[in-house]
């Protein structure tokens, strides 16, 4: 893992400052993080590394300077394949994956509404490829109303990535249970990564994302891959059936297929 080797070399350069710098290793549900703290200020300094907890793949690497991200940060997909690279010092994108580059239109603001228009780039989250989906999978708590009654269905929320790169206007279209939207809103408002706003003809603009939670006790994926919409696919286990194993799949769906406000939800077949 070349990014890991680079991190080790950079980290070794801090050894001489061990009187003022404290190293940290933090483990969460999906990631392991390695970084250093300046004891005198409490701020992050030096190299930062995030690894996949299971596969040990590099997910994020970069440098902190006085608590701020500095220089080029790299964000990876599966098997250490580069997903996005961003220079925080120059505030510019260095690299964007082909999958993101293929998105040539998005739901952007025009007047008082959002319509599908050609874009220079869609809104881009500065994080590893599946970071948002994994965050939802680890933080969403399905209620007994869903699991005990083996409910199936989708929950749809929309949010706007503003031209200033901030998440706003989080709204609910459809929820399988009443406790889901407060969780969705909290997660979106507390995502760790930064957003690069969508651009139209060189100008940053507000863009609307759709988030779909597809929730069911097993079964085949209901949605086709498409980076215009974030879909988190939950396969939960019925608490009354301990032989089932909890699992998940990650899918994305074209937002254009879901714009119709007269969406009808089917519990037994493809919904769109």
């Amino acid at each position: 893992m070349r990014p890991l080797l680079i991190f080790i070399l950079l980290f070794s350069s801090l050894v001489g400052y061990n009187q003022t710098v404290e190293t940290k290793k933090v483990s969460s549900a999906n990631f392991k993080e390695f970084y250093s703290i300046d004891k005198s200020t409490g701020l992050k300094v030096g190299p930062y590394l995030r690894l996949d907890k299971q596969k040990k793949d590099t997910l994020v690497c970069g440098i902190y300077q006085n608590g701020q991200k500095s220089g080029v940060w790299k964000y990876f997909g599966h098997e250490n394949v580069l997903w996005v690279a961003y220079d925080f010092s120059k505030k510019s994108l260095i690299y964007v994956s082909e999958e993101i580059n293929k998105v040539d239109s998005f739901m952007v603001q025009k007047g008082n509404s959002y319509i599908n228009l050609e874009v220079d780039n869609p809104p881009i989250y500065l994080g590893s490829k599946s970071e948002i989906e994994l965050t939802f999978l680890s933080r969403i708590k399905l209620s007994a109303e869903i699991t005990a009654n083996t409910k199936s269905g989708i929950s749809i929320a929309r949010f706007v990535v503003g031209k200033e790169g901030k998440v706003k206007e989080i709204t609910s279209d459809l929820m399988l249970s009443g406790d889901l939207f407060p969780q969705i809103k909290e997660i979106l408002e507390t995502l760790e990564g930064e957003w690069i706003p969508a651009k139209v003809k060189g100008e940053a603009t507000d863009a609307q994302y759709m988030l779909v939670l597809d929730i069911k006790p097993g079964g085949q994926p209901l949605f086709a891959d498409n980076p215009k919409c974030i879909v988190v696919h939950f396969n939960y286990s019925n608490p009354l059936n301990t032989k089932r194993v909890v699992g998940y799949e990650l899918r994305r769906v074209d937002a254009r297929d879901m714009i119709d406000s007269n969406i009808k939800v089917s519990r037994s077949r493809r919904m769109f």
Side-chain angles (χ1 to χ4, degrees), residues 51-262:
L51 300 179
D52 183 286
K53 193 171 182 178
Q54 306 259 330
K55 298 180 180 179
K56 312 303 182 187
D57 288 341
T58 300
L59 298 177
V60 181
C61 63
I63 298 289
Y64 274 104
Q65 186 173 17
N66 296 323
Q68 301 294 319
K69 293 176 181 176
S70 179
V72 176
W73 279 61
K74 295 181 179 181
Y75 305 89
F76 297 86
H78 302 299
E79 298 181 350
N80 303 306
V81 175
L82 188 60
W83 178 244
V84 174
Y86 185 79
D87 190 327
F88 281 89
S89 299
K90 298 180 180 179
K91 299 187 184 305
S92 63
L93 281 167
I94 303 300
Y95 175 84
V96 177
S97 70
E98 184 62 26
E99 185 176 334
I100 297 174
N101 272 327
K102 287 179 180 179
V103 180
D104 57 6
S105 64
F106 210 83
M107 300 297 293
V108 298
Q109 187 174 37
K110 188 173 179 62
N112 295 322
S113 60
Y114 291 89
I115 62 175
N116 193 51
L117 290 179
E118 183 176 347
V119 295
D120 303 338
N121 64 263
I124 299 171
Y125 180 72
L126 296 181
S128 54
K129 183 176 181 180
S130 299
E131 184 174 321
I132 293 179
E133 291 93 333
L134 288 171
T135 299
F136 273 90
L137 285 165
S138 64
R139 291 179 60 181
I140 287 287
K141 307 300 181 186
L142 299 180
S143 66
E145 176 190 349
I146 293 175
T147 58
N149 296 301
T150 59
K151 281 189 173 183
S152 297
I154 60 172
S155 295
I156 302 173
R158 300 172 196 259
F159 65 96
V160 171
V161 177
K163 58 186 177 183
E164 70 286 349
K166 302 295 184 182
V167 171
K168 60 183 182 178
E169 298 177 27
I170 304 171
T171 58
S172 168
D173 281 11
L174 178 68
M175 291 291 137
L176 191 59
S177 67
D179 65 320
L180 284 174
F181 182 64
Q183 295 184 71
I184 290 170
K185 190 171 185 294
E186 181 183 3
I187 292 170
L188 287 173
E189 290 175 340
T190 57
L191 286 172
E192 293 183 6
E194 297 83 359
W195 286 90
I196 304 302
K199 284 188 177 180
V200 176
K201 297 180 180 179
E203 296 293 328
T205 184
D206 289 4
Q208 187 183 69
Y209 241 122
M210 183 177 288
L211 169 72
V212 179
L213 305 187
D214 177 53
I215 303 168
K216 61 186 183 300
Q220 294 299 313
L222 302 174
F223 305 99
D225 289 345
N226 193 302
K228 292 185 180 180
C229 181
I230 300 168
V231 174
V232 186
H233 197 116
F234 289 84
N235 285 341
Y236 68 85
S237 67
N238 186 327
L240 300 179
N241 182 359
T242 56
K243 292 183 180 179
R244 268 191 178 159
V245 178
V246 178
Y248 67 81
E249 296 173 65
L250 303 180
R251 297 282 165 167
R252 296 178 184 266
V253 63
D254 192 330
R256 291 172 297 182
D257 295 337
M258 304 175 66
I259 296 302
D260 187 353
S261 61
N262 296 317

